[in-house]
Amino acid sequence: MKVLQFPLIKITFGFILGIVCSYYWDISPTTNYFGLLISLPLFFLFYYLKKNNDTKTLLFGIIIHFVAFFIGGITLIINTDSYNQNNYTHCDIAFNAPQEINLLVREKLKSTKTNERYVALIQTINGIEYSGKIILNIEKDSQHKALTVGQYVKVNEQLYKNREPNNPNQFDYGAYLNKKQLYAQLYSHTNQIVLGREPKKDLWFYTEQLRTTITSNLEKNNFSKKELNIAVALLMGQKQEIDPDIMQDYQYAGAIHILSVSGLHVGYLMLFLTFILSPIPNTKKGTFIKLAATLFTLIAFAIIAGLSPSVLRSVVMFSFVAIGYQLRRSVNVYHTLLVSALLLLLFQPYFLFDVGFQLSYLALFFILWFHPLIEQLFAPKTKIVKYSWTLLSISIAAQIGTLPLSIYYFHQFPGLFFVTNLVVAPLLTFIMIIGIIVLFLASIDLAFTFLTVPLEIGIYSLNNVIHFVASFEQFLIKDIPFNTFLLLTSYSIIITAILYLKKPTFTKLISVLSFILILQIGQLYNKFTLQNEQEWIVLNSKKNSIILERNGTTATVFTNDELNKKDYSSTIVRSYLLANFSTLSSKKSLSNMMYYKNKSILIIDSTSVYASQLKPDIVVLTNSPKLNFDRVLKNLHPKQVIADATNYKSLQKQWEASCKKQKIPFHATAEKGFFKIN
């Protein structure tokens, strides 16, 4: 049976479409419930008619899609915390002034330079029960210990909703948090929080305790800190303590995926379990023991790894494979993927918006579907060459399948990915086998040197290989502009091309060429549209004043400060250029006067110097100039006043009040975001 003809694929498509439409189009709960109420009776009616008349098959299939669509929408609604009336988002007072809030620490996040960060569950607000997840930010203090999972915390603070991006085409961190149902953040200091006496000893508490035990036992065995952080990421999915430079090396080498516990790691675990349990006879009792041991180990591994989306997906999928294998039933790998995806999305539909979830499923699907075709291109005779070719062909299949989505999210392509996978795979195999044994022993307070030393050496070698590959930065293609249209058309070309290669026909060839033509026409239209666009933008940046002027596909940045590669200011400029398929033609110093489309723009900086005889259309205030602003407005009579984020907030409030008196529009980028003139 062809992959796309599986009935389950059609149901899954309808279900996923229901989730996506309900989220992005904000389809109301009433609409979804009413749709299901109408479509379910029609489903049973057409099912009955189909049994007696085959001509009803098409209508029956359409009804199934509608049922799956509305079930997907309802599943999203049921699992959306903000629809719950007890959710803290319905407590308006908590967002307006400090309140007494009781929290339960659920998860430790990667800290920033100034704050320790946690995911916390709200318990009560002013003594009233509320629910929901937030991000808790505690200012770093060397005299106080970090909070632990399961710890109760009481604070008297205000909640802050996730903000929208303050700059054009900037990564929407607020939307990212909303998809994880983290609708607000809370900021506090260590000396302003009250800790509960007894922690809540639930699954999350014991999981964290187990991870802490494993880590501390390895530290006692003189495990190098740098290698230990990688081991914790590889084996337990905890990446919080990895050095940023090492993370960058893995990213540049195209190996960042191995630091997130996923199907690759669970696959190694399955092979290891199969080897260990092989002496058990294949009797009815023996089969049950092997299946129970496999499922128990997979579940335990998922808990230790923090129950992340990628871990859950992999464990659920391989659990289905294990059940089918032990029961000696043929396992259809495509059905396994679909059932695992449906099961996960039924319990947590927001996994669908997780980048790791999307990339993992695409990689696995293309490995299963496209890899056999690639492997047939070359038939090596020696075992070493055959093994290398298998690794390379798997890597190519996965890379082709995830390439458009990777570029869409990260705007870069590691050219040496095949070298990385060829060298890393044998090392990773060794590390995972030794690591799983060490993980188990360390969890019961055992850590043998003859095992930990080889693991440490293996990780040290892995880091060096990754660093060596990443050092060839010329093979890393960066800043690739890519939008939704390119994403969809690229996948259309890839899928139709693979279908053609599997079974060439004239119709399939026409489909491939048609999508290529659509891609080219779209690019030409995009280029024509951009060439006729002009924009003048005051960006929101606290460190330095930045004004950006774009004419077609070229842009000029005006600033008096250096834009460093790792600086936030450089990031916001880069995001804008990528989204608008533009290049930075020049960088100039800010002058006191600028002109754009017959508009005169006066920029007043910290020198507070300006020509009183000017009559500018726009006044831009930067770097907190000290001046009598009421007099400035009377002298200049501007039509618009803009204050960027380099100014003190107290001054901005005074300026806003002055503008309000004289009925002049005032725009503070720190509050309202960037200011743009088309």
Side-chain angles (χ1 to χ4, degrees), residues 95 137 190 245 283 338 346 380 407 416 449 503 625 660 663 675:
F95 294 94
N137 298 272
T190 50
D245 291 333
T283 60
L338 289 171
L346 276 169
I407 296 176
L416 294 177
T449 304
K503 191 176 180 181
K660 192 173 183 180
K663 297 181 180 181
F675 181 87

Side-chain angles (χ1 to χ4, degrees), residues 563-608:
L563 296 179
N564 299 317
K565 287 185 178 180
K566 293 185 178 181
D567 188 60
Y568 174 76
S569 304
S570 178
T571 303
I572 59 178
V573 172
R574 174 178 170 270
S575 298
Y576 175 83
L577 295 175
L578 284 172
N580 291 278
F581 292 78
S582 304
T583 56
L584 187 62
S585 60
S586 61
K587 188 179 71 173
K588 299 180 180 179
S589 298
L590 275 172
S591 58
N592 292 114
M593 283 299 299
M594 297 181 68
Y595 297 92
Y596 177 77
K597 287 188 174 180
N598 299 321
K599 291 182 184 294
S600 56
I601 303 161
L602 173 64
I603 297 173
I604 305 177
D605 56 22
S606 58
T607 62
S608 305

Side-chain angles (χ1 to χ4, degrees), residues 30 33 59 76-77 138 172 221 252 275 288 295 318 333 433 440 505-507 566 605 618 621 627 636 655 661:
T30 305
Y33 282 115
L59 289 174
L76 183 78
I77 290 165
I138 306 293
D172 195 341
N221 211 52
Y252 284 4
F275 174 75
F288 175 78
L295 294 179
F318 278 101
V333 287
I433 292 173
F440 173 74
T505 64
F506 180 73
T507 305
K566 293 185 178 181
D605 56 22
I618 298 172
L621 302 165
L627 39 73
L636 301 180
W655 297 336
K661 286 180 186 178

Side-chain angles (χ1 to χ4, degrees), residues 251-252 254 399-400 403 406-407 410-418 473-480:
Q251 183 181 356
Y252 284 4
Q399 197 70 47
I400 289 174
L403 180 61
S406 296
I407 296 176
F410 308 115
H411 299 284
Q412 64 181 27
F413 173 68
L416 294 177
F417 73 91
F418 57 93
E473 288 194 37
Q474 61 270 31
F475 290 97
L476 178 68
I477 306 172
K478 299 180 183 179
D479 299 338
I480 306 172

